[in-house]
Amino acid sequence: VQLQASGGGLVQAGGSLRLSCAASGRTFSTYGMGWFRQAPGKEREFVAAISWNGGITNYADSVKGRFAISRDNAKNTVSLQMNSLKPEDTAVYYCAAVRTTVVRTTKWDGMDYWGKGTQVTVSS
């Protein structure tokens, strides 16, 4: 499966952005999907994940209550709605897929497919 993230940009603290990830391939609907992010000088970290049918979601503590992950299997897309953004949310955001129906890891090396990232910059 090939993944392409979009929707990043520059936003002021407290603002919102919606990231989208378009996937190719007929197997998208059977894969768990996740969003990760990487800030300069830091390791890539888990942000959110969603199961194949959207029934199970998981979030990093740092984004709980502010971010929401969703997917549309008919359109082969997964989205990340980011609200109440903070400067510490600044990073390159990546979408990723795993060849299981549920994402059972929060480690970046547990994912199987990656898209190119999209930059999110939150100004104070």
Side-chain angles (χ1 to χ4, degrees), residues 32-51:
M33 298 295 297
W35 286 95
F36 289 72
R37 67 187 182 186
Q38 188 167 18
K42 295 187 177 181
E43 288 194 0
R44 192 169 299 187
E45 65 175 3
F46 170 78
V47 175
I50 190 167
S51 63

Side-chain angles (χ1 to χ4, degrees), residues 3-11 15-22 34-40 43-48 59-60 62-64 66-69 78-96 114-122:
L3 306 171
Q4 179 63 56
S6 62
L10 173 63
V11 64
S16 298
L17 279 175
R18 186 176 181 85
L19 305 183
S20 293
C21 178
W35 286 95
F36 289 72
R37 67 187 182 186
Q38 188 167 18
E43 288 194 0
R44 192 169 299 187
E45 65 175 3
F46 170 78
V47 175
Y59 296 92
S62 59
V63 307
K64 277 182 183 176
R66 301 188 298 121
F67 291 12
I69 188 171
V78 61
S79 299
L80 185 68
Q81 178 66 42
M82 306 186 295
N83 299 324
S84 301
L85 283 161
K86 304 175 181 180
E88 51 263 44
D89 294 318
T90 295
V92 177
Y93 284 71
Y94 299 88
C95 65
W114 290 90
K116 292 183 179 180
T118 185
Q119 176 72 46
V120 171
T121 303
V122 184

